[in-house]
Amino acid sequence: MTSARTRTLASTLASLRGTISRLEAAGLQPTSAARRPLGHAAADSVLQGGLVRGALHEVFAMEGRYNAAASGFAAGLAWRAALHRPLLWVRQDFLAREQGALSMQGFSELGLDPRRVITVRAQDIATALRVAADALACDALGAVVMDAWGETRLLDLVASRKLTLAAQASGVTCFLLRSVAQPAASTAETRWVVRSARSPVTSLREAWGSPVLEAALVRNRHGQTGQWIMEWNCHECLFREPATYSQSASALPSDRPAAAAARPGRDAIWRRAG
């Protein structure tokens, strides 16, 4: 009896694996209509027209200090993929203490409408996974971002397959944002590793600079990989090649210390990135 039951269970498991493999093979074939260009010509070329919608994508910040850059990059990707539909952002409860709370003003400064951003705080990673999977079943959403910190066994190949199948079924694009974690086997369409880059200063009165990121595409299921410096255009809400600035930096006066010379004037507002 035990042997027969074991064989039955093994046969059932093999059948389920075969079904999942067929679903993946059918669903993971991107079409040009399902792609959303990022705006960055070189990256879009490697991506064969843009980011595949209705799929799982991973964004990694390998160090905690790059979490803000990776979060901004994920927000940009999700906004592009959402196509004017709402964006759901799922976070673990303790992330506000580790890396700060999500700022609706920050979304607004990136050119994103905070009224279309829904945030959910999950007690733990298991709850976050359930919320993300349930949200992906709602085709009224445009994209779902699951924000996770640190290593966890729950974000394994099985979990990524579940998110992938849910995204394919509804057409809602899923982004898995991982901070201080190492990439592992997954069914993700793309995997990005993001760091902050320096924003060039335009002028004294317009010294904010645009958000600039170093984005490495380290996994691409249907093409090549690559690495680029990307600038986020807050007005058009797309990525692009960093603008070239002709203004040269002035030399420090010989009779003044560097700190005094670098202090902005009364009417200047400075922002440093990187």
Side-chain angles (χ1 to χ4, degrees):
M1 292 292 294
T2 303
S3 178
R5 185 178 181 182
T6 300
R7 287 196 298 270
T8 300
L9 289 174
S11 177
T12 302
L13 182 58
S15 177
L16 287 173
R17 285 174 174 169
T19 301
I20 291 174
S21 297
R22 288 192 296 273
L23 286 172
E24 289 180 344
L28 287 176
Q29 299 302 321
T31 62
S32 57
R35 295 183 184 273
R36 177 66 166 159
L38 305 185
H40 189 283
D44 284 335
S45 177
V46 170
L47 292 170
Q48 301 178 24
L51 204 69
V52 175
R53 298 177 57 243
L56 172 66
H57 302 273
E58 296 175 337
V59 178
F60 277 82
M62 305 303 289
E63 301 176 40
R65 58 179 172 155
Y66 296 129
N67 174 262
S71 298
F73 184 74
L77 292 182
W79 198 258
R80 296 290 298 167
L83 291 177
H84 308 293
R85 288 183 291 172
L87 160 65
L88 181 72
W89 198 295
V90 186
R91 307 184 87 210
Q92 289 174 267
D93 227 355
F94 73 93
L95 287 185
R97 296 191 300 270
E98 289 287 345
Q99 58 197 48
L102 287 177
S103 168
M104 293 301 106
Q105 181 179 351
F107 280 105
S108 182
E109 289 182 355
L110 289 174
L112 314 182
D113 186 353
R115 295 171 298 181
R116 284 170 44 201
V117 180
I118 305 165
T119 60
V120 176
R121 292 167 57 183
Q123 180 179 1
D124 49 37
I125 195 66
T127 305
L129 269 171
R130 288 196 298 271
V131 171
D134 289 344
L136 287 170
C138 177
D139 58 9
L141 295 172
V144 173
V145 177
M146 181 179 163
D147 194 347
W149 179 280
E151 301 288 356
T152 173
R153 294 181 179 179
L154 293 180
L155 292 178
D156 56 8
L157 183 59
V158 174
S160 71
R161 182 180 286 115
K162 182 177 181 179
L163 294 175
T164 295
L165 293 176
Q168 291 170 354
S170 64
V172 180
T173 311
C174 182
F175 297 89
L176 184 56
L177 173 59
R178 303 287 308 277
S179 297
V180 196
Q182 292 296 320
S186 77
T187 58
E189 183 73 25
T190 64
R191 178 181 295 145
W192 303 80
V193 176
V194 181
R195 299 161 55 102
S196 57
R198 185 174 297 277
S199 298
V201 175
T202 56
S203 67
L204 189 62
R205 289 186 176 274
E206 298 178 359
W208 290 80
S210 298
V212 180
L213 307 167
E214 179 184 318
L217 176 62
V218 298
R219 172 186 170 87
N220 182 5
R221 286 180 62 93
H222 301 281
Q224 300 176 339
T225 57
Q227 184 171 343
W228 306 275
I229 301 296
M230 295 186 180
E231 180 179 87
W232 174 253
N233 185 324
C234 300
H235 302 290
E236 300 180 34
C237 291
L238 52 77
F239 294 97
R240 65 183 182 186
E241 294 278 355
T244 302
Y245 300 99
S246 58
Q247 179 179 345
S248 59
S250 58
L252 292 176
S254 59
D255 59 341
R256 294 172 58 193
R263 186 179 300 121
R266 182 176 55 187
D267 299 328
I269 301 176
W270 293 85
R271 179 184 181 186
R272 298 294 184 189

